[in-house]
């Protein structure tokens, strides 16, 4: 088990992290080299119905996207109010980030924490994403349904998906306005529409093209192409977060 405790004092945040040894579980589905190690450069696997199989434990390949989704130098097209809020969050050095109070990260931020991997469980009608962080989950419903007319706003939104060739296209809407898009504090409104294009390149790599479409907060869509890496022969550990108040002195 991993346990994170955030002790909140007046103007002070203290955090402690305890780690146990990672689970070692041999995955019989993975192709192997002669020495028995997983062949992570082998072609991406397929399901029985011919779709790309996205299953596995994944983590962010480059940690810079956790902090800043625009890390590639993208010029973020802010609306004025969003630019002002983003600047305010910079001044606070991330102290107002809801994740610091053990509240859920939204999409895509929950996918972008390298130390907190996530697991895809793929079925014909739904792709489930299980998170190491605080035991959250997402479901991408790929059974042909449309969005509900008036979804209840949630931290992780409501996701539907479809296959375009070898790419899973997931669209997510219905967010509340509490989450940040990344650790640096790019904001969003309740109108945000996140599009993710999942493409598994090899056994060991998957690219996700992330597009943020939020006309209330940005003048045009923007985003990034982010690579993720497979963590073979393991499974999710428990990761719990607790907030405790601690008086000074």
């Amino acid at each position: 088990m991993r346990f994170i405790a955030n002790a909140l004092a007046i103007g002070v945040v203290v955090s402690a992290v305890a780690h146990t040894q990672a689970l070692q579980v041999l995955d019989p589905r993975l192709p192997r080299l002669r020495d028995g190690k997983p062949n992570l450069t082998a072609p991406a696997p397929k399901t029985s119905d011919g779709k790309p199989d996205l299953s596995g434990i994944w983590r962010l390949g480059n940690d810079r996207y956790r902090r800043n989704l625009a890390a590639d130098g993208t010029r973020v097209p802010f609306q004025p109010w969003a630019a002002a809020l983003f600047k305010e969050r910079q001044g606070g050095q991330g102290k107002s980030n809801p994740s610091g109070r053990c509240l859920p990260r939204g999409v895509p931020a929950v996918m972008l924490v390298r130390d907190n991997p996530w697991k895809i469980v793929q079925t014909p009608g739904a792709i489930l994403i299980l998170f190491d962080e605080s035991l959250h989950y997402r479901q991408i419903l790929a059974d042909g349904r449309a969005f509900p007319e008036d979804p209840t706003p949630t931290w992780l939104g409501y996701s539907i998906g479809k296959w375009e060739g070898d790419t899973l296209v997931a669209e997510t809407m219905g967010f509340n306005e509490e989450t940040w898009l990344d650790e640096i504090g790019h904001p969003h409104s309740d109108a945000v529409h996140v599009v993710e294009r999942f493409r598994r390149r090899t056994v060991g790599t998957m690219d996700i093209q992330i597009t943020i479409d939020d006309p209330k907060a940005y003048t045009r869509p923007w985003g990034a192409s982010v690579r993720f890496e497979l963590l073979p022969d393991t499974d999710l550990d428990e990761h719990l977060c607790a907030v405790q108040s601690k008086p000074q002195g």
Side-chain angles (χ1 to χ4, degrees), residues 173-211:
M173 302 173 65
F175 295 99
N176 64 37
E177 297 182 86
E178 302 300 322
T179 62
W180 295 12
L181 295 176
D182 50 24
E183 292 294 304
I184 203 173
H186 283 106
H188 67 81
S189 76
D190 61 352
V192 67
H193 178 193
V194 180
V195 180
E196 300 156 288
R197 301 179 65 89
F198 295 72
R199 186 169 185 184
R200 191 170 187 174
R201 299 289 182 178
T202 65
V203 165
T205 59
M206 180 164 60
D207 294 337
I208 304 180
Q209 175 69 47
I210 302 168
T211 301

Side-chain angles (χ1 to χ4, degrees), residues 31-208:
R32 302 278 166 178
L33 301 170
R34 290 185 177 181
D35 61 3
K37 293 182 179 179
N39 183 1
L40 300 180
T41 62
K46 302 281 188 178
T47 62
S48 59
D49 61 0
K51 297 284 194 305
D53 189 350
L54 308 182
S55 301
I57 308 290
W58 298 93
R59 72 174 179 185
L60 182 68
N62 191 319
D63 197 49
R64 64 181 179 169
Y65 296 105
R66 172 192 61 82
R67 182 173 184 274
N68 184 3
L69 187 60
D72 290 330
T74 300
R75 185 174 180 180
V76 180
F78 291 106
Q79 296 282 10
W81 75 265
L85 179 56
F86 180 70
K87 183 177 180 179
E88 177 183 320
R89 289 173 176 175
Q90 306 317 291
Q93 299 181 339
K95 293 180 181 178
S96 59
N97 191 336
S99 68
R101 305 190 304 276
C102 293
L103 294 171
R105 302 175 196 267
V107 178
V110 70
M111 314 281 283
L112 301 178
V113 184
R114 181 173 168 83
D115 291 340
N116 298 335
W118 39 272
K119 179 177 184 176
I120 288 183
V121 179
Q122 185 168 332
T123 73
I127 291 85
L128 306 179
I129 305 180
L130 313 178
F131 294 100
D132 170 278
E133 183 177 45
S134 298
L135 310 181
H136 301 316
Y137 74 93
R138 291 177 65 191
Q139 57 179 359
I140 301 171
L141 301 170
D143 55 4
R145 73 181 66 193
F147 284 108
E149 291 186 8
D150 188 19
T152 301
T154 63
W155 295 88
L156 295 175
Y158 188 96
S159 300
I160 61 173
K162 63 181 179 181
W163 289 97
E164 293 183 356
D166 288 343
T167 300
L168 173 69
V169 181
E171 300 182 59
T172 308
M173 302 173 65
F175 295 99
N176 64 37
E177 297 182 86
E178 302 300 322
T179 62
W180 295 12
L181 295 176
D182 50 24
E183 292 294 304
I184 203 173
H186 283 106
H188 67 81
S189 76
D190 61 352
V192 67
H193 178 193
V194 180
V195 180
E196 300 156 288
R197 301 179 65 89
F198 295 72
R199 186 169 185 184
R200 191 170 187 174
R201 299 289 182 178
T202 65
V203 165
T205 59
M206 180 164 60
D207 294 337
I208 304 180

Side-chain angles (χ1 to χ4, degrees), residues 192-247:
V192 67
H193 178 193
V194 180
V195 180
E196 300 156 288
R197 301 179 65 89
F198 295 72
R199 186 169 185 184
R200 191 170 187 174
R201 299 289 182 178
T202 65
V203 165
T205 59
M206 180 164 60
D207 294 337
I208 304 180
Q209 175 69 47
I210 302 168
T211 301
I212 308 300
D213 186 2
D214 185 351
K216 288 186 180 179
Y218 303 100
T219 60
R220 57 177 171 78
W222 66 282
S225 182
V226 182
R227 177 153 292 187
F228 295 83
E229 59 187 26
L230 183 76
L231 293 180
D233 295 338
T234 189
D235 210 333
L236 292 186
D237 199 356
E238 288 185 338
H239 170 177
L240 303 178
C241 181
V243 177
Q244 298 175 343
S245 297
K246 182 180 180 181

